[in-house]
Amino acid sequence: MKNIKSDIEKNEYKSVYLLCGEEAYLRNKYKNLLKAGICGGDTMNLSIYQGEGIDVNAVADDCKAMPFFAQRRLIIIENSGMLKSSSEQMAGIIKDLPETTCVVFVESETDKRNKLYKTIKEKGYICEMNSQKPETLYIWLAQLLKEADKKISKEDAQFLIMRTGTDMYNLSNEIQKLISYSSDSQIITREAIELMCSVHLEDKIFEMINAITKKDSAEAMRLYADLLVLKVAPLKILAILSKKYGQLLTVKDMLVSGHNSKDIASRVGIAPYFVNQYIAQAKLFAEDELKDIICDCVDTEASIKSGRTEDKYAVELLIIKYSRK
């Protein structure tokens, strides 16, 4: 990302950029920075293509067109799917771009074996924008609040992230709610966060796993009912349950092998401040029990998708099975 900022400051741009990765907030931010840097408010030299099924011939014509009373022409291609599947024609277009054309791809999913990906890497710059580390998020949150003349302690910033998740769009929305709520105070408090900020979906499911582990069927079913009221599809709940139990199995295996919490956080793909929760949870399970639950999750999904069992009932049965005393 520093490279993109440097290009904008110097007004020296690569012929092609790929902004990719799971953090949509950053993809959108740097797309707009490049757009402002290259075109400013000039719409005559800007073409935007969105979604799958883009007319590649039209893109080729735009790429060849000379800029109109400007230094460059900008083509933005967003969520095209071309970086997931093969696009030989687009790879050829990128390979022969005129010096006056800059192309920016914005994609959530990519395949590094893809010919277009390799061509972009050769001819331009690829920036992967994935979930940010806690330290980076603390700084970013503090900056957002500073702009609104607000402050937050590091401990409460950590609590906010634990409560709402690391998605930057979601965090940005929660910060705006907190700023509005705390209009009479300069400090964002723990109480304000608890009152105003929504609990992250995966955290609610982790609470449900806690209840299942404690053999508290009533609490597990209450949390399941809450998720259904929030219009979370049973299959989505099942998918996250399966993911969480898979992570716990990995944590369990790594603990047995003598790995430390830092290694576990990196391998499992969880923030360091969550890792102690996972370690404590994993210690409550036998390895075979975790494997059985994961297998049951897979079987339940197959049963739902084949139409043998109604989704809400199937997930309910799974929760009851493992939360019974």
Side-chain angles (χ1 to χ4, degrees):
M1 288 180 270
K2 289 180 181 177
N3 289 344
I4 295 176
K5 287 182 177 178
S6 175
D7 289 353
I8 294 170
E9 288 170 5
K10 295 176 182 176
N11 195 32
E12 296 175 359
Y13 295 94
K14 313 288 189 298
S15 60
V16 59
Y17 294 85
L18 169 58
L19 312 179
C20 58
E22 60 196 14
E23 188 47 79
Y25 180 95
L26 291 176
R27 295 199 310 270
N28 193 57
K29 174 183 177 178
Y30 281 86
K31 174 192 74 176
N32 288 333
L33 285 175
L34 284 167
K35 180 180 170 185
I38 295 170
C39 290
D42 177 11
T43 57
M44 295 191 68
N45 293 297
L46 171 67
S47 297
I48 300 174
Y49 295 86
Q50 293 180 318
E52 297 185 6
I54 288 170
D55 185 346
V56 179
N57 291 323
V59 176
D61 290 341
D62 267 343
C63 286
K64 292 173 186 173
M66 293 295 293
F68 187 73
F69 291 112
Q71 190 176 356
R72 297 180 187 84
R73 181 167 184 76
L74 175 63
I75 317 291
I76 296 175
I77 302 173
E78 192 164 8
N79 299 321
S80 68
M82 292 183 193
L83 275 298
K84 266 194 314 183
S85 57
S86 179
S87 181
E88 299 276 336
Q89 186 180 0
M90 184 59 73
I93 293 168
I94 296 304
K95 199 168 185 178
D96 297 321
L97 280 176
E99 291 182 1
T100 53
T101 296
C102 178
V103 178
V104 176
F105 288 91
V106 186
E107 303 285 339
S108 58
E109 296 181 74
T110 61
D111 182 347
K112 294 181 180 180
R113 301 167 297 178
N114 184 299
K115 185 171 182 179
L116 177 56
Y117 184 97
K118 292 177 180 177
T119 303
I120 295 170
K121 188 174 181 180
E122 176 190 343
K123 302 288 289 185
Y125 178 66
I126 296 174
C127 187
E128 290 192 33
M129 297 169 170
N130 295 316
S131 293
Q132 298 297 289
K133 294 179 180 179
E135 293 75 16
T136 305
L137 289 175
Y138 298 151
I139 295 168
W140 173 70
L141 287 173
Q143 184 59 42
L144 286 182
L145 289 168
K146 184 178 179 182
E147 291 169 5
D149 196 28
K150 303 287 182 186
K151 295 179 181 179
I152 190 171
S153 70
K154 185 171 182 179
E155 291 75 18
D156 287 342
Q158 179 174 320
F159 177 74
L160 173 62
I161 294 167
M162 288 180 68
R163 186 175 178 87
T164 64
T166 59
D167 181 87
M168 292 177 74
Y169 265 129
N170 188 50
L171 277 169
S172 176
N173 290 335
E174 297 296 340
I175 283 291
Q176 294 310 313
K177 284 161 56 177
L178 288 167
I179 290 170
S180 296
Y181 176 76
S182 306
S183 58
D184 297 330
S185 172
Q186 192 182 24
I187 306 298
I188 301 298
T189 64
R190 176 76 60 99
E191 291 73 22
I193 295 168
E194 288 177 337
L195 182 64
M196 297 301 298
C197 297
S198 305
V199 177
H200 189 235
L201 174 59
E202 293 201 16
D203 285 345
K204 265 196 171 294
I205 290 178
F206 203 83
E207 286 180 37
M208 192 164 70
I209 291 175
N210 280 333
I212 293 169
T213 308
K214 294 174 183 175
K215 304 299 181 185
D216 188 345
S217 293
E219 178 65 5
M221 290 306 299
R222 183 190 70 76
L223 289 162
Y224 180 53
D226 285 350
L227 290 165
L228 294 177
V229 168
L230 292 170
K231 306 295 184 186
V232 184
L235 263 176
K236 185 176 181 68
I237 295 170
L238 179 62
I240 298 175
L241 270 175
S242 183
K243 173 188 171 185
K244 291 295 178 192
Y245 279 115
Q247 288 175 321
L248 289 173
L249 180 59
T250 302
V251 171
K252 185 81 178 177
D253 288 342
M254 292 187 74
L255 284 172
V256 171
S257 301
H259 290 274
N260 60 35
S261 58
K262 185 177 179 181
D263 292 339
I264 291 171
S266 176
R267 170 78 179 278
V268 178
I270 53 178
Y273 47 82
F274 284 139
V275 73
N276 288 335
Q277 293 181 40
Y278 279 77
I279 289 172
Q281 189 66 261
K283 287 178 178 177
L284 298 174
F285 288 94
E287 184 176 334
D288 287 344
E289 186 180 5
L290 285 169
K291 289 179 179 177
D292 287 343
I293 296 173
I294 294 165
C295 286
D296 267 356
C297 286
V298 172
D299 290 344
T300 300
E301 182 182 4
S303 179
I304 293 169
K305 289 184 174 179
S306 66
R308 295 196 305 272
T309 317
E310 190 261 334
D311 57 358
K312 176 178 175 290
Y313 179 65
V315 176
E316 187 175 300
L317 283 179
L318 183 71
I319 293 168
I320 291 171
K321 176 179 177 179
Y322 286 101
S323 61
R324 272 192 314 231
K325 291 182 180 178

